[in-house]
Amino acid sequence: MNELDVTRRNFMGAAAVAGAGVLLAGCSSKKTVEPTKFLDAAPDGPVLKAGLVGCGGRGTGAVQNFLKAGPNLQIVALADVFQDQLDKCRRRLEGRPEAKITDETCFVGFDAYKKLIDSGVDIVILATPPHFRPLHFEAAVEAKKHVFMEKPVAVDPVGARQIMASGEKAKAYNLSVVAGTQRRHQRQYIETYNHIKNGAIGEIVAARAYWCQGQLWYRERQKEWSDMEAMLRDWVNWTWLSGDHIVEQHVHNVDVCNWFIGAYPVKASGFGGRMRRVTGDQYDFFSVDYTYENGVHTASYCRQIDGCWNSVSEYVVNRGFHQL
Amino acid sequence: MSDATDKRPRRRTLLLIVTGMVLGFIVVYAANAGIVYTSTDVFCDKFCHVHPHATASWIKSTHYTTKSGVVTHCIECHLPAGGIEYYTEKARLGAQDVWGVLTKDPKKIDWEAKGSLEEAGTFTYESSCVRCHSILFSAKLTKKGSDAHLYYQRMKDKVRCINCHLSVGHYHEKKPEEYLETKDDVFDPKNFPTAAEGFTNYTEVLPGSDVKFEMVALPGGTFTMGSPDSEEYRKPDEGPQRQVQLSQFWIGRTEVRWKEWEVFYAQRGSPGKNDPSYSEESTTTGPTPPYGSPDQGWGRGARPAITMTHHSATVYCQWLSSVTGKKYRLPTEAEWEYACRSKTETPYFFPGDPADFTLDSFWNRVFGAKKLPLSQFAAYAGGGSARTQTPSFVKPNPFNLINTIGNVREFCLDWYEPQAYAKYPSTSAVLNPRGPESGEEHVVRGGSFKSDAIYLRSAARDRTQTERWLMTDPQSPKSVWWYSDCNDVGFRVVREYEPPR
C-alpha cells in the first residue's frame, strides 16, 4: 500500500493484514527505509459502524480508542458471553453520540459473535479471551468484515495457523485487519526502527525484552458459577484461555525484538515457575533465551509478582544499546 | 551529372533502408506467427507430440472441463509464464521434441513415467500455475487446504504446486479415493497362527483374515558382505568387505503386500491425530489415515505396500509378532544381503554385468541397454516398469525370494552409517551384526521400479531420507506413519529362529 494514498478504509491498517499479527508481520527489508507518514486521525468519509465482540475492560477500551480515531465512527452492536459484562460496557458507552447501540444489536451467548457479524456492521472489534480469536476472526473474514483484534491472536499452533489462513483470505478480499500489537503502529517505534535499519547503530547483535510487573487481577470463584464461567471470568489466569503470560502480555516485547532483528527465533530455552498466583494454572514468572538462525539472541524476562523490580521495555544491542 | 551522382547513393540508401524494414517486418511477423502457431494446441498435438492420450486426458481434466468454460491450453502450463525464460524454454523443449519425433518410436516411450512427479517437474512451470492461481486462499478453501497452502508459502523453493496437484492437467484414471478402512470385526476365530515347529518353509496366515504369506527358511552360514574394490559402479560405503556369519532365520518370500498391510491397518489403524485416544507412544497405536492414495492409484492387493515410514514398518512387525506369537522384525542389513546374494559373490545373483544394463551411460542410452536376464528378476527403471508390480511379474532368486533387488527398495533394521563395515573385525567373521547403535537414518537396500540397474547390485546400499521424504507433508508435526514424497520403498519381514526349549 502506498503510504500517501491513505483512504478511509485502509487507514485502519497501515500495517494492514500483515497484522494478522505477530505471527505474520515480518520486516526484513535490506533497502534504505523511507520515513513513514503518520496521520493524526482517520480521514473523514461515510459512517463506519463497528461491533464489539467481548465486552470486558479491554473491549470497552478498544471501542473508546476506535471512536477517538477519527470522525464519523460509530459503535452499533455488542456481543458477550455474559449479560452483566455486556450491560456494564453499554452503560459506559451511554451518552456518547457515536454509540448507536439498541436492544436489538446486543447479543449474549457463545454464538453472540455470529449474530453480531450478521447485524450490519462494517468493522468487527475482537476482544474476547484469546482462545476464541481464531474462530471469531475466521467468521468475520468469511463475512468480509474489516477487523481490529486484540493481541494475542491465538494461544496454540493450531489457532495460529487458522489466523494465518484467515489473514491470507482477508488479504485476497482486500479487508483491513489490524492486531493490537500497538508498538508496530507507534510513531516512536517505527521511527527508531527506520533509523536502525538505516544503520544508526550498526547491526543488531542481541536484544532484551521485559514485562515484569506486579500481580495481575483474578476473580475468586462464586458458588453459582459453572467451571466454564469461573474460568472465563478469570481468564488471565488460565493457559487454555490466555495462552499464558508470554503469549498474553509479553508478546508485545518479544514481537518488537523479532521485528527489529528481522527474523523469528529458531530455538527457545527457558524456565518459569509459580510462586504467588492465587487462581488458575499459569506460571507467574519466566525467563527465556531465544536464539535466531544468525546467532543473535533475545533474552526475555517476564513476571507478575508484587514487590519486585519492574520494567516493561525492549532493548536492542549493538556495541552499546538503545532503549526503545 | 554531379547532381545525379549525388542522388543515386542517397536513393540507394533509402531503398536499402525501406527494403530492410520491410524484410525485418516480415521476419519478425513470420517469427511471431511461427511462435504463435507452434504454441497452439493443434500444433502440439498433431505435429510434434505423438501422444493422443495426453490430449484425451487433458480434455478430461479440470483444466479443460471447467465450470466457467475457460480452457487452459498446452503451453499455459508447459511453458513458463513469460519473460526471456519463455523463449529459452521453448527453444529447449522444442529441440527436445524435434529430436524425439525424429529419433524415437512414440510407442516405446514410457508415457506413464513422463507423468510422474519427477519428470512432470521438468516441463511444467510453477510460474505458469501461479499466473492464473494468484489467490492461494480462495473463499472455498478447506481447512486442510489452508494448512497445506500455508506450508507451501513457507517452503516455496522446495515444494511445488504439482507435488499435491499432479493430476489437474491430465486426468489420471484412478479409482475413487478408497481409504484403508478401520474395521473392528476382522477377527475370525477360524484362523489361527500357523504352528511353527521345526525349521522349514511355512505359510503364515494372518489371524482374523484369510490373508497368507510365505516364509522361506534360510540356513545359517558365513558370507562375504560388501563389494570388492574392483566391482564396477561400486560406492565407497559398500566396503570394506567383511566375513559375516549368520544364524538361520526365516525371511518373507515377497515384500509385504498391501493385502497384508490392510489386515494390520484394519486392526491397528488409528482414527487420526486429533482423536483423543491417539498416542504415538502407545504400543497399540497404529497408522493414522493416509493423506491421499498411498498406493498412488496403482492398485493394492498383491502389490507391495509403499509410502509407509520406517516407523510404520517397525510397528507392523511388532503387531505381526503379537498376533502370531512369533518373533518378526525387519531384516538386518547383513541378513538382507545374505538373502539377496543367495551364496553368490557377483554383482547380481545371476551372471551379468551392470555396465550392460545401465542407462547411466551415453552408449547405452543411444544404442539401447541390455535387459535380459535382469528384467526377468526385477522390476526396475530400464525394464519397462513405471510402477510397483505384483510378485508374479518376476522370477525368484536362488533362495526362492522374489524381487529382492527390484520393485521397491526395502527397509532394514540397521541405522545407516557409510563406514559401518569398517567397524566389524577384519580377521574373523562377525556374528549376526546389527550395525551402529544409533544414527539418523536407516538402511534401505535393493533397487526399485525407479532405480537404474547399477542400484540393483546386491551390495548397493541406500538410506532413508526422512526430511526429503516428508517435504510435501504440510502437517505440523509431520506424519510419523506415512511419507509424502517417497513411493518406492517397502519392506519384507524376517523371523528369528528360537530353538525349542
Side-chain angles (χ1 to χ4, degrees):
Chain A
M1 181 169 60
N2 183 342
E3 297 290 353
L4 295 171
D5 182 26
V6 181
T7 65
R8 185 174 172 76
R9 278 185 195 273
N10 61 27
F11 166 74
M12 277 285 289
V17 176
V22 74
L23 297 153
L24 287 183
C27 297
S28 60
S29 173
K30 287 267 160 66
K31 284 177 247 159
T32 305
V33 183
E34 296 296 327
T36 310
K37 288 268 177 192
F38 286 95
L39 295 181
D40 292 321
D44 202 357
V47 172
L48 283 181
K49 297 179 198 164
L52 169 67
V53 183
C55 295
R58 181 77 286 269
T60 310
V63 166
Q64 285 162 339
N65 300 149
F66 167 74
L67 296 177
K68 262 202 308 206
N72 270 336
L73 301 170
Q74 292 181 355
I75 174 77
V76 300
L78 301 178
D80 200 286
V81 171
F82 302 118
Q83 183 73 50
D84 60 307
Q85 288 285 93
L86 188 143
D87 291 343
K88 211 189 316 173
C89 173
R90 197 173 168 186
R91 272 200 303 281
R92 282 175 62 188
L93 296 170
E94 238 164 47
R96 292 193 72 134
E98 313 95 322
K100 310 277 185 197
I101 302 155
T102 66
D103 289 346
E104 287 69 43
T105 57
C106 287
F107 309 99
V108 173
F110 279 104
D111 62 347
Y113 74 97
K114 284 188 200 159
K115 296 175 188 159
L116 178 134
I117 287 168
D118 292 338
S119 71
V121 296
D122 304 308
I123 296 173
V124 182
I125 298 172
L126 302 178
T128 63
H131 168 83
F132 302 100
R133 199 89 72 246
L135 179 73
H136 293 173
F137 181 50
E138 187 175 79
V141 170
E142 293 298 335
K144 303 193 172 60
K145 304 295 178 192
H146 302 289
V147 173
F148 171 82
M149 55 182 167
E150 274 303 339
K151 47 64 22 197
V153 298
V155 297
D156 55 24
V158 173
R161 284 194 287 271
Q162 200 176 350
I163 289 281
M164 289 161 85
S166 302
E168 292 290 344
K169 284 187 185 174
K171 213 188 276 178
Y173 298 155
N174 204 22
L175 299 174
S176 282
V177 177
V178 180
T181 38
Q182 77 260 21
R183 286 159 174 75
R184 293 261 187 181
H185 310 287
Q186 274 171 253
R187 186 189 300 263
Q188 164 210 351
Y189 277 89
I190 294 173
E191 284 177 354
T192 309
Y193 174 83
N194 292 347
H195 282 309
I196 290 179
K197 280 291 138 180
N198 288 334
I201 63 165
E203 207 162 307
I204 296 174
V205 297
R208 305 202 306 264
Y210 301 93
W211 193 299
C212 295
Q213 65 156 65
Q215 188 183 356
L216 212 57
W217 60 268
Y218 66 93
R219 298 273 144 75
E220 291 282 12
R221 182 170 182 161
Q222 307 294 304
K223 264 190 214 145
E224 64 276 19
W225 288 353
S226 65
D227 286 352
M228 179 60 88
E229 181 164 359
M231 288 181 179
L232 285 176
R233 289 189 185 276
D234 187 38
W235 69 270
V236 293
N237 297 293
W238 294 95
T239 303
W240 74 273
L241 281 164
S242 82
D244 216 321
H245 186 191
I246 295 177
V247 171
E248 204 274 309
Q249 267 189 327
H250 193 35
V251 62
H252 280 303
N253 321 105
V254 177
D255 176 48
V256 165
C257 294
N258 291 346
W259 172 26
F260 276 63
I261 290 167
Y264 293 108
V266 291
K267 198 178 129 189
S269 16
F271 51 85
R274 180 182 168 115
M275 296 298 292
R276 304 285 169 86
R277 222 173 186 88
V278 184
T279 60
D281 62 352
Q282 288 185 195
Y283 285 4
D284 47 18
F285 65 88
F286 293 94
S287 171
V288 182
D289 174 13
Y290 293 99
T291 314
Y292 299 74
E293 201 136 57
N294 55 4
V296 170
H297 287 252
T298 290
S300 119
Y301 309 92
C302 61
R303 176 182 33 76
Q304 292 166 336
I305 297 175
D306 283 342
C308 305
W309 168 82
N310 289 336
S311 173
V312 175
S313 54
E314 308 90 21
Y315 300 82
V316 290
V317 182
N318 172 255
R319 232 174 259 159
F321 62 86
H322 181 96
Q323 181 173 7
L324 300 169
Chain B
M1 274 304 277
S2 64
D3 262 15
T5 45
D6 271 1
K7 274 178 191 166
R8 206 169 291 148
R10 230 183 268 162
R11 241 183 252 147
R12 231 182 253 160
T13 314
L14 198 68
L15 193 69
L16 265 175
I17 291 173
V18 170
T19 319
M21 278 170 71
V22 169
L23 273 175
F25 181 76
I26 291 170
V27 168
V28 168
Y29 180 81
N32 187 48
I35 286 172
V36 169
Y37 179 66
T38 57
S39 300
T40 58
D41 299 334
V42 172
F43 182 83
C44 294
D45 183 29
K46 292 276 152 54
F47 292 89
C48 218
H49 304 257
V50 232
H51 47 46
H53 54 282
T55 309
S57 60
W58 164 58
I59 286 170
K60 276 191 194 169
S61 81
T62 50
H63 275 70
Y64 189 95
T65 326
T66 56
K67 271 188 199 161
S68 56
V70 177
V71 171
T72 308
H73 302 280
C74 304
I75 61 147
E76 288 180 82
C77 299
H78 296 305
L79 278 179
I84 189 74
E85 213 203 340
Y86 175 89
Y87 295 99
T88 54
E89 284 299 281
K90 187 168 172 68
R92 180 181 75 84
L93 290 180
Q96 227 175 56
D97 291 340
V98 170
W99 173 255
V101 166
L102 294 177
T103 63
K104 286 183 184 156
D105 177 358
K107 282 181 196 135
K108 286 189 182 161
I109 293 175
D110 189 348
W111 293 109
E112 196 180 326
K114 297 250 179 239
S116 69
L117 183 63
E118 290 85 351
E119 295 216 23
T122 66
F123 46 76
T124 315
Y125 299 85
E126 196 76 349
S127 63
S128 311
C129 299
V130 295
R131 171 178 51 187
C132 294
H133 300 276
S134 54
I135 294 179
L136 283 182
F137 294 83
S138 61
K140 285 184 181 159
L141 191 67
T142 60
K143 166 91 177 46
K144 219 166 152 183
S146 287
D147 283 351
H149 284 182
L150 283 175
Y151 179 74
Y152 166 79
Q153 280 190 325
R154 277 202 292 130
M155 304 296 289
K156 256 181 191 165
D157 45 341
K158 288 183 179 152
V159 174
R160 305 180 44 160
C161 299
I162 57 169
N163 284 24
C164 295
H165 304 284
L166 185 61
S167 55
V168 293
H170 295 273
Y171 181 75
H172 282 229
E173 288 293 349
K174 247 196 220 174
K175 279 172 260 157
E177 238 168 76
E178 344 158 11
Y179 284 107
L180 304 164
E181 270 181 25
T182 308
K183 288 181 223 140
D184 293 325
D185 55 353
V186 289
F187 274 106
D188 182 348
K190 273 185 294 188
N191 295 321
F192 295 100
T194 313
E197 305 229 332
F199 186 71
T200 52
N201 295 351
Y202 66 95
T203 301
E204 183 69 277
V205 182
L206 287 178
S209 75
D210 54 7
V211 175
K212 297 173 189 153
F213 64 89
E214 290 174 78
M215 293 297 288
V216 177
L218 295 188
T222 301
F223 79 109
T224 307
M225 187 167 176
S227 57
D229 291 341
S230 57
E231 188 169 312
E232 220 176 341
Y233 300 106
R234 172 189 195 266
K235 298 255 161 60
D237 68 349
E238 297 170 20
Q241 285 184 303
R242 286 291 184 260
Q243 291 302 303
V244 173
Q245 191 192 340
L246 291 176
S247 311
Q248 56 192 5
F249 63 99
W250 288 273
I251 187 162
R253 182 157 185 261
T254 65
E255 290 147 343
V256 172
R257 298 159 303 166
W258 277 117
K259 54 170 121 176
E260 292 149 47
W261 180 268
E262 279 167 350
V263 177
F264 162 61
Y265 188 82
Q267 296 183 13
R268 273 291 165 81
S270 51
K273 279 189 199 173
N274 293 330
D275 191 89
S277 69
Y278 181 76
S279 155
E280 266 159 31
E281 281 76 45
S282 161
T283 50
T284 53
T285 296
T288 51
Y291 220 71
S293 304
D295 67 350
Q296 315 292 294
W298 300 332
R300 297 202 278 265
R303 285 182 203 275
I306 47 173
T307 74
M308 80 299 292
T309 59
H310 189 277
H311 172 71
S312 279
T314 305
V315 174
Y316 173 89
C317 296
Q318 289 162 356
W319 164 81
L320 185 60
S321 305
S322 74
V323 294
T324 58
K326 301 175 190 136
K327 254 186 156 175
Y328 285 103
R329 57 167 169 76
L330 292 174
T332 65
E333 187 172 16
E335 286 163 349
W336 192 94
E337 188 167 325
Y338 177 72
C340 174
R341 286 192 174 278
S342 313
K343 309 266 184 198
T344 65
E345 293 191 346
T346 43
Y348 301 116
F349 55 74
F350 52 85
D353 183 354
D356 295 336
F357 302 114
T358 181
L359 286 172
D360 198 20
S361 94
F362 180 73
W363 182 270
N364 285 0
R365 271 205 301 277
V366 174
F367 298 101
K370 196 175 156 189
K371 288 186 180 175
L372 289 174
L374 183 55
S375 60
Q376 290 181 318
F377 291 113
Y380 72 108
S385 179
R387 54 168 71 167
T388 59
Q389 298 294 342
T390 57
S392 58
F393 189 75
V394 294
K395 294 202 275 190
N397 75 1
F399 275 167
N400 202 21
L401 307 174
I402 303 263
N403 252 327
T404 45
I405 58 171
N407 212 20
V408 290
R409 295 181 279 170
E410 299 175 13
F411 293 129
C412 290
L413 191 69
D414 310 28
W415 291 106
Y416 175 79
E417 149 66 44
Q419 285 306 303
Y421 304 171
K423 291 172 184 156
Y424 299 145
S426 56
T427 47
S428 58
V430 55
L431 179 67
N432 297 327
R434 291 208 167 197
E437 272 177 24
S438 61
E440 298 277 307
E441 302 288 354
H442 285 99
V443 171
V444 170
R445 293 297 296 261
S448 79
F449 65 93
K450 281 181 172 175
S451 307
D452 183 75
I454 61 175
Y455 301 104
L456 270 62
R457 292 177 303 107
S458 298
R461 304 178 71 205
D462 204 348
R463 62 182 184 278
T464 55
Q465 294 177 61
T466 310
E467 192 185 340
R468 201 158 74 85
W469 291 358
L470 281 163
M471 192 57 83
T472 305
D473 184 348
Q475 304 173 95
S476 178
K478 290 169 185 281
S479 180
V480 300
W481 302 108
W482 301 98
Y483 293 127
S484 53
D485 300 60
C486 172
N487 60 9
D488 71 332
V489 177
F491 65 104
R492 72 180 72 218
V493 297
V494 297
R495 182 185 154 204
E496 286 180 19
Y497 177 73
E498 297 164 283
R501 281 171 219 167

